[in-house]
Amino acid sequence: MFRKIPFNLNWILFEEFDVPILGLELDNIRINVYPNPIKEKINIESEYIPKSSIEYKILDSNGRLFYERSKRYDSNINEEIELKNIKSGFIFLIILEGDRLLQVRKIIIDK
C-alpha cells in the first residue's frame, strides 16, 4: 500500500548558475526574435552593436541549411528575413558574430 507523505517545498533545493547552460548563448547579449510562430518573416532586433559581421543561418529540422546571410552593422541589429517558400514545421535560426555563437532559436512556421 502507498502511504501519503506531506509535501514540503522546503525540501527542494533551488540552485542559481552563473555560467551559461550548455554554453549555447551569451547571457549579456539580448536578441529579440519575433514573432514565433511565424507566417512569412522573422524580425531580429538587439541593442547590441557587433564588432564584426553578424551571420544568420537557418536550418530545417533535418539540419539542412537553406538560408545564410552575413551583414555588417554600424549600429544596433535590426534585420528582417522573409521565409515565404518554407513549409509548416520548425526551423533553427543560428546567429553568429565571427566564430562566436550569439544565439540559437527554434522557430515554428505556421502557414
Side-chain angles (χ1 to χ4, degrees), residues 45-57:
E45 295 178 352
S46 178
E47 293 182 4
Y48 175 66
I49 300 172
K51 296 171 185 68
S52 61
S53 294
I54 296 293
E55 186 174 353
Y56 302 99
K57 294 182 179 186

Side-chain angles (χ1 to χ4, degrees), residues 14-93:
F14 294 95
E15 294 185 43
E16 183 177 333
F17 295 95
D18 291 332
V19 295
I21 306 299
L22 298 176
L24 287 179
E25 300 172 356
L26 297 177
D27 202 26
N28 58 345
I29 298 174
R30 302 283 180 223
I31 299 174
N32 298 320
V33 179
Y34 64 92
N36 194 6
I38 67 166
K39 296 270 185 216
E40 294 184 351
K41 64 182 177 179
I42 302 171
N43 296 297
I44 303 164
E45 295 178 352
S46 178
E47 293 182 4
Y48 175 66
I49 300 172
K51 296 171 185 68
S52 61
S53 294
I54 296 293
E55 186 174 353
Y56 302 99
K57 294 182 179 186
I58 297 179
L59 292 89
D60 65 11
S61 58
N62 295 318
R64 288 183 300 234
L65 179 70
F66 63 87
Y67 180 89
E68 186 171 21
R69 180 175 184 201
S70 185
K71 185 173 179 183
R72 186 134 182 94
Y73 294 91
D74 295 326
S75 60
N76 300 348
I77 295 172
N78 190 357
E79 190 69 33
E80 182 178 280
I81 300 173
E82 297 223 9
L83 301 170
K84 292 181 180 178
N85 298 328
I86 298 175
K87 297 176 185 175
S88 292
F90 68 90
I91 58 172
F92 294 98
L93 170 65

